[in-house]
mmCIF file of all heavy atoms in Angstrom:
data_model
loop_
_atom_site.group_PDB
_atom_site.id
_atom_site.type_symbol
_atom_site.label_atom_id
_atom_site.label_comp_id
_atom_site.label_asym_id
_atom_site.label_seq_id
_atom_site.Cartn_x
_atom_site.Cartn_y
_atom_site.Cartn_z
ATOM 1 N N THR A 61 -27.172 28.661 -0.512
ATOM 2 C CA THR A 61 -27.706 27.321 -0.237
ATOM 3 C C THR A 61 -26.601 26.293 -0.456
ATOM 4 O O THR A 61 -25.896 26.346 -1.458
ATOM 5 C CB THR A 61 -28.896 26.991 -1.162
ATOM 6 O OG1 THR A 61 -28.608 27.536 -2.439
ATOM 7 C CG2 THR A 61 -30.180 27.562 -0.627
ATOM 8 N N LYS A 68 -19.643 9.717 2.562
ATOM 9 C CA LYS A 68 -18.893 8.872 3.493
ATOM 10 C C LYS A 68 -18.554 7.534 2.836
ATOM 11 O O LYS A 68 -17.446 7.028 2.975
ATOM 12 C CB LYS A 68 -19.715 8.640 4.765
ATOM 13 C CG LYS A 68 -18.918 7.985 5.892
ATOM 14 C CD LYS A 68 -19.777 7.860 7.152
ATOM 15 C CE LYS A 68 -19.117 6.986 8.200
ATOM 16 N NZ LYS A 68 -17.953 7.610 8.840
ATOM 17 N N SER A 69 -19.505 6.992 2.084
ATOM 18 C CA SER A 69 -19.269 5.669 1.505
ATOM 19 C C SER A 69 -18.191 5.722 0.424
ATOM 20 O O SER A 69 -17.368 4.825 0.312
ATOM 21 C CB SER A 69 -20.570 5.106 0.933
ATOM 22 O OG SER A 69 -21.101 6.010 -0.013
ATOM 23 N N GLY A 82 -13.285 15.942 -5.445
ATOM 24 C CA GLY A 82 -12.129 15.057 -5.392
ATOM 25 C C GLY A 82 -12.106 14.255 -4.117
ATOM 26 O O GLY A 82 -13.149 14.022 -3.504
ATOM 27 N N GLU A 95 0.489 22.027 -1.826
ATOM 28 C CA GLU A 95 0.733 21.088 -2.910
ATOM 29 C C GLU A 95 0.614 19.678 -2.346
ATOM 30 O O GLU A 95 0.656 19.479 -1.136
ATOM 31 C CB GLU A 95 2.131 21.319 -3.490
ATOM 32 C CG GLU A 95 2.175 22.583 -4.325
ATOM 33 C CD GLU A 95 3.580 22.953 -4.742
ATOM 34 O OE1 GLU A 95 4.456 22.067 -4.723
ATOM 35 O OE2 GLU A 95 3.785 24.126 -5.068
ATOM 36 N N SER A 120 9.919 17.848 -1.742
ATOM 37 C CA SER A 120 9.705 18.954 -2.662
ATOM 38 C C SER A 120 10.545 20.137 -2.202
ATOM 39 O O SER A 120 11.025 20.176 -1.074
ATOM 40 C CB SER A 120 8.237 19.344 -2.672
ATOM 41 O OG SER A 120 7.902 19.902 -1.422
ATOM 42 N N ARG A 122 9.474 23.068 -1.612
ATOM 43 C CA ARG A 122 8.754 23.764 -0.547
ATOM 44 C C ARG A 122 9.076 23.162 0.816
ATOM 45 O O ARG A 122 9.284 23.866 1.795
ATOM 46 C CB ARG A 122 7.241 23.680 -0.787
ATOM 47 C CG ARG A 122 6.731 24.572 -1.897
ATOM 48 C CD ARG A 122 5.317 24.164 -2.277
ATOM 49 N NE ARG A 122 4.443 24.132 -1.105
ATOM 50 C CZ ARG A 122 3.745 25.171 -0.677
ATOM 51 N NH1 ARG A 122 3.796 26.303 -1.329
ATOM 52 N NH2 ARG A 122 2.985 25.073 0.384
ATOM 53 N N VAL A 154 9.820 41.324 27.667
ATOM 54 C CA VAL A 154 9.328 41.019 29.015
ATOM 55 C C VAL A 154 8.956 42.287 29.779
ATOM 56 O O VAL A 154 7.907 42.348 30.416
ATOM 57 C CB VAL A 154 10.386 40.203 29.798
ATOM 58 C CG1 VAL A 154 9.967 40.028 31.249
ATOM 59 C CG2 VAL A 154 10.591 38.854 29.133
ATOM 60 N N THR A 163 4.545 32.711 26.866
ATOM 61 C CA THR A 163 4.003 33.309 25.644
ATOM 62 C C THR A 163 5.101 33.431 24.593
ATOM 63 O O THR A 163 4.896 33.122 23.417
ATOM 64 C CB THR A 163 3.428 34.702 25.952
ATOM 65 O OG1 THR A 163 2.453 34.575 26.983
ATOM 66 C CG2 THR A 163 2.803 35.330 24.723
ATOM 67 N N ILE A 164 6.277 33.862 25.044
ATOM 68 C CA ILE A 164 7.412 34.012 24.123
ATOM 69 C C ILE A 164 7.748 32.662 23.492
ATOM 70 O O ILE A 164 8.010 32.563 22.299
ATOM 71 C CB ILE A 164 8.631 34.593 24.881
ATOM 72 C CG1 ILE A 164 8.297 36.013 25.352
ATOM 73 C CG2 ILE A 164 9.882 34.570 24.017
ATOM 74 C CD1 ILE A 164 9.301 36.615 26.312
ATOM 75 N N TYR A 171 15.490 36.090 18.450
ATOM 76 C CA TYR A 171 16.287 37.298 18.247
ATOM 77 C C TYR A 171 17.382 37.018 17.224
ATOM 78 O O TYR A 171 18.140 36.050 17.359
ATOM 79 C CB TYR A 171 16.904 37.761 19.573
ATOM 80 C CG TYR A 171 17.846 38.937 19.409
ATOM 81 C CD1 TYR A 171 17.368 40.162 18.936
ATOM 82 C CD2 TYR A 171 19.200 38.827 19.700
ATOM 83 C CE1 TYR A 171 18.225 41.240 18.761
ATOM 84 C CE2 TYR A 171 20.064 39.907 19.538
ATOM 85 C CZ TYR A 171 19.564 41.107 19.060
ATOM 86 O OH TYR A 171 20.407 42.171 18.879
ATOM 87 N N ALA A 178 25.450 35.411 11.110
ATOM 88 C CA ALA A 178 25.240 34.437 12.190
ATOM 89 C C ALA A 178 24.330 33.302 11.724
ATOM 90 O O ALA A 178 24.631 32.123 11.913
ATOM 91 C CB ALA A 178 24.645 35.128 13.415
ATOM 92 N N GLY A 207 26.680 37.873 -7.897
ATOM 93 C CA GLY A 207 25.931 36.637 -7.723
ATOM 94 C C GLY A 207 26.570 35.627 -6.798
ATOM 95 O O GLY A 207 26.133 34.486 -6.746
ATOM 96 N N ILE A 232 8.928 35.132 7.830
ATOM 97 C CA ILE A 232 9.469 35.738 9.042
ATOM 98 C C ILE A 232 9.171 37.228 9.020
ATOM 99 O O ILE A 232 9.252 37.870 7.970
ATOM 100 C CB ILE A 232 11.014 35.572 9.096
ATOM 101 C CG1 ILE A 232 11.429 34.098 9.009
ATOM 102 C CG2 ILE A 232 11.601 36.250 10.334
ATOM 103 C CD1 ILE A 232 10.994 33.239 10.173
ATOM 104 N N ARG A 235 11.206 42.708 13.851
ATOM 105 C CA ARG A 235 11.037 44.075 14.342
ATOM 106 C C ARG A 235 12.378 44.585 14.839
ATOM 107 O O ARG A 235 13.046 43.932 15.640
ATOM 108 C CB ARG A 235 10.031 44.105 15.489
ATOM 109 C CG ARG A 235 9.707 45.511 15.957
ATOM 110 C CD ARG A 235 9.079 45.526 17.331
ATOM 111 N NE ARG A 235 8.615 46.858 17.688
ATOM 112 C CZ ARG A 235 9.402 47.836 18.120
ATOM 113 N NH1 ARG A 235 10.711 47.649 18.233
ATOM 114 N NH2 ARG A 235 8.890 49.013 18.434
ATOM 115 N N SER A 239 17.067 52.235 17.359
ATOM 116 C CA SER A 239 16.231 53.429 17.445
ATOM 117 C C SER A 239 16.478 54.341 16.246
ATOM 118 O O SER A 239 15.887 55.402 16.129
ATOM 119 C CB SER A 239 16.523 54.167 18.753
ATOM 120 O OG SER A 239 17.915 54.354 18.865
ATOM 121 N N ASN A 248 10.021 42.053 6.539
ATOM 122 C CA ASN A 248 9.441 40.726 6.342
ATOM 123 C C ASN A 248 10.192 39.983 5.251
ATOM 124 O O ASN A 248 10.837 40.614 4.412
ATOM 125 C CB ASN A 248 7.974 40.828 5.921
ATOM 126 C CG ASN A 248 7.095 41.368 7.026
ATOM 127 O OD1 ASN A 248 7.458 41.329 8.201
ATOM 128 N ND2 ASN A 248 5.956 41.887 6.657
ATOM 129 N N LEU A 253 8.438 31.050 -2.504
ATOM 130 C CA LEU A 253 7.665 29.863 -2.865
ATOM 131 C C LEU A 253 6.644 29.530 -1.773
ATOM 132 O O LEU A 253 5.600 28.943 -2.028
ATOM 133 C CB LEU A 253 8.655 28.703 -3.023
ATOM 134 C CG LEU A 253 8.267 27.503 -3.854
ATOM 135 C CD1 LEU A 253 7.834 27.917 -5.241
ATOM 136 C CD2 LEU A 253 9.450 26.545 -3.927
ATOM 137 N N VAL A 260 -1.780 35.370 4.160
ATOM 138 C CA VAL A 260 -1.514 34.818 5.484
ATOM 139 C C VAL A 260 -2.048 35.797 6.520
ATOM 140 O O VAL A 260 -2.055 37.004 6.286
ATOM 141 C CB VAL A 260 0.010 34.686 5.727
ATOM 142 C CG1 VAL A 260 0.286 33.799 6.917
ATOM 143 C CG2 VAL A 260 0.732 34.193 4.514
ATOM 144 N N GLY A 263 -0.922 34.542 13.296
ATOM 145 C CA GLY A 263 -1.574 33.967 14.472
ATOM 146 C C GLY A 263 -2.778 33.094 14.170
ATOM 147 O O GLY A 263 -3.363 32.521 15.081
ATOM 148 N N ALA A 267 -5.198 30.817 16.454
ATOM 149 C CA ALA A 267 -6.519 31.396 16.718
ATOM 150 C C ALA A 267 -7.652 30.560 16.141
ATOM 151 O O ALA A 267 -8.798 30.694 16.559
ATOM 152 C CB ALA A 267 -6.579 32.812 16.142
ATOM 153 N N THR A 292 -3.943 37.336 27.200
ATOM 154 C CA THR A 292 -4.989 37.640 28.174
ATOM 155 C C THR A 292 -6.171 36.678 28.047
ATOM 156 O O THR A 292 -7.175 36.847 28.728
ATOM 157 C CB THR A 292 -5.526 39.075 27.997
ATOM 158 O OG1 THR A 292 -6.071 39.180 26.675
ATOM 159 C CG2 THR A 292 -4.443 40.110 28.186
ATOM 160 N N ASP A 327 -9.330 55.437 12.257
ATOM 161 C CA ASP A 327 -10.372 55.303 11.242
ATOM 162 C C ASP A 327 -9.777 55.006 9.873
ATOM 163 O O ASP A 327 -10.375 54.340 9.056
ATOM 164 C CB ASP A 327 -11.179 56.600 11.132
ATOM 165 C CG ASP A 327 -12.016 56.813 12.380
ATOM 166 O OD1 ASP A 327 -11.895 55.990 13.296
ATOM 167 O OD2 ASP A 327 -12.760 57.786 12.420
ATOM 168 N N ALA A 329 -7.427 53.107 8.738
ATOM 169 C CA ALA A 329 -7.285 51.706 8.355
ATOM 170 C C ALA A 329 -8.650 51.101 8.082
ATOM 171 O O ALA A 329 -8.834 50.354 7.129
ATOM 172 C CB ALA A 329 -6.577 50.932 9.457
ATOM 173 N N ARG A 352 -15.477 56.844 19.600
ATOM 174 C CA ARG A 352 -16.456 55.944 18.999
ATOM 175 C C ARG A 352 -15.974 54.507 19.169
ATOM 176 O O ARG A 352 -14.870 54.171 18.761
ATOM 177 C CB ARG A 352 -16.591 56.183 17.496
ATOM 178 C CG ARG A 352 -16.441 57.606 17.085
ATOM 179 C CD ARG A 352 -16.613 57.668 15.617
ATOM 180 N NE ARG A 352 -15.595 58.508 15.005
ATOM 181 C CZ ARG A 352 -15.523 58.704 13.709
ATOM 182 N NH1 ARG A 352 -16.358 58.097 12.912
ATOM 183 N NH2 ARG A 352 -14.604 59.486 13.213
#
Side-chain angles (χ1 to χ4, degrees):
T61 38
K68 190 177 169 71
S69 56
E95 286 171 20
S120 68
R122 286 166 53 90
V154 173
T163 304
I164 295 170
Y171 175 63
I232 303 295
R235 186 198 188 281
S239 51
N248 292 340
L253 202 54
V260 195
T292 60
D327 291 3
R352 325 181 225 179

